[in-house]
Amino acid sequence: MIPGATLGVEEVLAELTRLRSGDAPTHGGRTLAYVYDSGLAELDELAARAHAAAVSANGLDPTAFPSLLRMENDLVAAAIGLLGGGPDAVGTATSGGTESCLLAVLAAREGRRDVADPSVVVPSTVHAAFRKAGHLFGVRVVDVPVDPVTFRADPVATAAAVDDTTVLVVGSAPSYAHGVVDPIAELAAVAGDRGARMHVDACIGGWVLPYLRRGDADGRPPVFDLSVPGVTSLSVDLHKYAYCAKGVSVLLHAGPEQRRGHYFASADWPGYTMLNPTLQSTRSGGPIAAAWAVVRHVGDDGYAQLALSARAATERIRDGLAAIDGLRVLGDPDATLLAVALDGEPGFDLFTVADELAARGWHVQPQFPHRSSPANLHLTVTASNRGHEDALLTAVQEAVGAARAAGPVTIDADLAALIGALDPDTLTEQQFAGVLAAAGLDPATGDGAEPGHPLRLPERMAEINTMLAAASPRLRERLLAEFLGLLYRP
Ligand SMILES: *Cc1c(COP(=O)(O)O)cnc(C)c1O
């Protein structure tokens, strides 16, 4: 409803500030997922001013707004320079990593219109964006188990999974869940041998790994970019480690021929001929201009510094976490992401550790068990964590101590029985309401955090996370989608 009486500018902004005060902090390195903090004081204002200067411009027509064309070409050129593109390389600015991954799959499918039942072969650790692409574009997703200990893709098993329907093979640099880089050269060779394309999902690592490679005489992590023979596309999110305002990723292709398939044109209506390089049509100039300004301001030397800081913080935090009794780090993380799991059965619960960290103002992301990957806590480490590693490690020590004292999570027997009996494919609204009530989240009786808000999340999530961890992925999808549908009620 549009309110009848208008609010003054200052009043509206005060209201916004009040709303935002309930959010996870986006600066200071205490939120170790979702947000990326360079620690550079001036970046926010620069991005905000550049965003404001272009937000009214529309990327729908680059001839009407040539500034956006220029800035996008500059961003793509920067990405090509950093990520090994040859003279033919081209790219597209998208709204984010998921859109870049979607378009990579779409372009590969369109490049092989002769394949009636196209498929994409991915490691089981691949980002869920590729499942979304399969779902949206009718492409089968064939996933190949990764090495159970290193969590890296297995080129031999991948070769066995590739067949005549394969239009694309994907590898991650690094994977989100474990932060390890897949053997890209081997995967690309497998793809090339079978005439399939190869996409490198460097959404999260693409603006960090090249700088780490430069600084490391051993060339670790190994080369993963467009210079690897057989790699045909690569995605890199500027709104992650390029520390740009949210809403920008770049999808690179080895040449215009590979890119063509994600362009869309329609002249079959009485309006303007619709010409879209991405899924969007009207495209705000704001995120492009903000990214362009930030990339120009920080520059190559600045990014090298930021990448080395984030990596140094990651190594320090990795070592500190591994030294805490009862914890271990999964795999051998190559970049700036960590996954920390329980070491054996140490007598405390990991999800309680997450709750205890939240109570101390630190936010980590629970990851549920998946095949050989046990339940763990994800940490996205950024440059702002450098120099403050001990504060985090101390908080984790305290949280583990509190979790030990609290003992194992006890699951409500009624709730467990209820969830155990659910079939994800026939879940009814009543059944879901029953689950919510048993979990103490009943919208009818719960008092919301905001007037009219249907739900308030409990302060402690350990019990709910334990239940969700025990559910099958399919049931978890269904339960959480229902939950989301309840949150988004006006
Ligand atoms: C973040 C991420 C994505 C998806 O990016 P969004 O910007 O969240 O849409 C895809 N792949 C990897 C490896 C990522 O880390």
Side-chain angles (χ1 to χ4, degrees), residues 17 26 36 62 66 168 212-213 228 317 366-367 378 395 417 459 474:
T17 303
T26 58
Y36 301 80
L168 185 69
L212 302 187
R213 282 178 47 75
V228 174
I317 293 167
Q367 296 188 132
H378 169 99
E459 300 266 306
R474 176 77 191 121

Side-chain angles (χ1 to χ4, degrees), residues 410-422 431 434-440 463 467:
T410 51
I411 297 184
D412 185 283
D414 290 348
L415 183 58
L418 216 100
I419 293 200
L422 292 178
Q431 283 175 324
V435 172
L436 279 185
E463 187 183 332
M467 290 304 324

Side-chain angles (χ1 to χ4, degrees), residues 65-79:
F65 301 98
S67 70
L68 300 184
L69 178 63
R70 178 74 266 145
M71 289 189 279
E72 178 163 339
N73 279 333
D74 285 350
L75 288 173
V76 168

Side-chain angles (χ1 to χ4, degrees), residues 169-213:
V169 175
V170 181
S172 310
S175 62
Y176 183 85
H178 306 103
V180 299
V181 178
D182 288 328
I184 299 299
E186 289 88 334
L187 295 175
V190 165
D193 282 350
R194 298 297 297 262
R197 296 188 187 197
M198 171 77 202
H199 179 78
V200 177
D201 180 2
C203 278
I204 201 157
W207 224 261
V208 170
L209 293 171
Y211 295 108
L212 302 187
R213 282 178 47 75

Side-chain angles (χ1 to χ4, degrees), residues 319-357:
D319 294 348
L321 291 173
I324 294 175
D325 194 28
L327 297 182
R328 70 189 169 108
V329 172
L330 295 179
D332 184 8
D334 291 308
T336 52
L337 312 176
L338 295 169
V340 57
L342 292 183
D343 192 15
E345 288 184 29
F348 62 88
D349 184 273
L350 207 54
F351 297 135
T352 306
V353 174
D355 284 345
E356 292 294 337
L357 279 170

